[in-house]
Amino acid sequence: MGILTKKLYRDIRQNKGRSFSIILIIVIASGLYGGLLLTSINALETFKNLEEETKVESVRYSLNEFVNIENFTLDTVSGVELWDYRISSITSMKLSKNDTSSFTAPIFGISPNYRPKVNNFIIEEGEYFTASDQIIIATQFVKGQELNLGDEVWIETPTGKQKFSLQAEVVSPEYIYSVNPVSGLPDIAGLAASWLPINSLQEMFGLDDNYVNEILVRFDKDLDEEAQNKLINAIKR
């Protein structure tokens, strides 16, 4: 046995408490990294599995202002497989009207008459809208906050807090999980991604029917990158 090896073993015996702590830290860190890696892989696999079923967007146009979508169409544009529109905003959600704590809530106004054509979701529990005061929420938040169908939540709007009833929990390809910006760790329970009937959001913002601020486009599969970029610029104009 070499001199350096003997010295290493002697140091470990003399400082076995400290050595055990270091080894334990390494084991915990390795396990944590493995868990994060597994989480990322699982999230990626989930996204891939959902991509075709939910018709994930190829490009999203977030508009600087609300526009009337009535005379806009991409139905006849070559290279576009599907397209849809919605209202998108970020607000806060409370689980009771007088709750002192709130959650960040990306909210999307979608047609109450049909499921989204692009960035659809999978309903885990419940059903699609049957009334204008209903809300659909990402399953991570529902499970993390132990909500049940029929529970009431409160959304902050330009005219004050508005009450909605939980109609369904869904898996969305847009919100597999979020990452805490401070810790860098996955945070699956703190982001209240939600979908509302578009007419409810139009009413909140004092808009007429047909006004939206986001357009989602899904290109044909055989469209190469150069053709996609040309189409993106053409739609912008």
Side-chain angles (χ1 to χ4, degrees):
M1 187 179 295
I3 296 175
L4 290 177
T5 305
K6 289 181 179 179
K7 184 176 185 305
L8 175 62
Y9 285 141
R10 185 173 63 250
D11 289 343
I12 290 175
R13 284 196 300 271
Q14 290 174 351
N15 300 278
K16 56 186 176 183
R18 185 188 304 171
S19 300
F20 177 76
S21 299
I22 293 171
I23 292 169
L24 183 61
I25 290 169
I26 292 171
V27 170
I28 291 173
S30 299
L32 180 59
Y33 173 75
L36 285 174
L37 188 59
L38 183 61
T39 301
S40 300
I41 292 172
N42 287 343
L44 182 60
E45 285 303 312
T46 302
F47 181 85
K48 287 179 178 177
N49 293 336
L50 291 176
E51 198 273 340
E52 182 59 35
E53 185 175 356
T54 59
K55 306 298 182 185
V56 176
E57 68 191 44
S58 300
V59 63
R60 176 186 311 192
Y61 297 90
S62 296
L63 310 176
N64 293 326
E65 56 186 19
F66 291 101
V67 299
N68 191 331
I69 202 72
E70 186 175 16
N71 298 316
F72 179 87
T73 182
L74 296 175
D75 290 343
T76 59
V77 176
S78 178
V80 173
E81 178 189 350
L82 294 165
W83 73 282
D84 208 349
Y85 56 84
R86 64 188 185 182
I87 290 178
S88 173
S89 184
I90 295 181
T91 183
S92 61
M93 175 187 291
K94 293 188 174 186
L95 304 185
S96 65
K97 186 174 184 179
N98 298 317
D99 202 341
T100 56
S101 61
S102 61
F103 300 89
T104 300
I107 55 173
F108 304 101
I110 56 177
S111 173
N113 302 318
Y114 61 84
R115 297 272 293 274
K117 299 174 185 176
V118 182
N119 288 355
N120 195 0
F121 40 68
I122 296 171
I123 295 180
E124 292 278 278
E125 192 174 352
E127 58 182 350
Y128 202 61
F129 302 119
T130 58
S132 61
D133 63 346
Q134 295 171 340
I135 189 169
I136 292 171
I137 305 178
T139 188
Q140 296 96 325
F141 185 81
V142 172
K143 286 182 168 52
Q145 302 306 318
E146 300 182 347
L147 299 176
N148 298 304
L149 297 182
D151 283 355
E152 295 175 346
V153 298
W154 296 82
I155 297 291
E156 191 67 46
T157 77
T159 56
K161 297 183 184 70
Q162 189 165 333
K163 180 177 65 176
F164 290 89
S165 172
L166 179 58
Q167 175 71 357
E169 62 172 280
V170 301
V171 174
S172 167
E174 294 183 83
Y175 292 97
I176 308 275
Y177 69 82
S178 62
V179 175
N180 186 302
V182 177
S183 66
L185 299 176
D187 178 11
I188 62 171
L191 192 66
S194 306
W195 293 260
L196 302 166
I198 194 169
N199 52 302
S200 295
L201 272 182
Q202 287 165 337
E203 185 178 340
M204 283 183 197
F205 288 103
L207 300 170
D208 294 331
D209 293 347
N210 301 318
Y211 275 80
V212 303
N213 66 348
E214 203 161 75
I215 297 172
L216 309 174
V217 182
R218 179 178 171 87
F219 296 140
D220 288 335
K221 287 182 179 179
D222 56 356
L223 210 63
D224 61 33
E225 186 175 352
E226 182 180 356
Q228 287 186 24
N229 289 334
K230 287 181 179 178
L231 189 51
I232 289 170
N233 292 327
I235 294 172
K236 279 182 181 178
R237 291 195 293 270

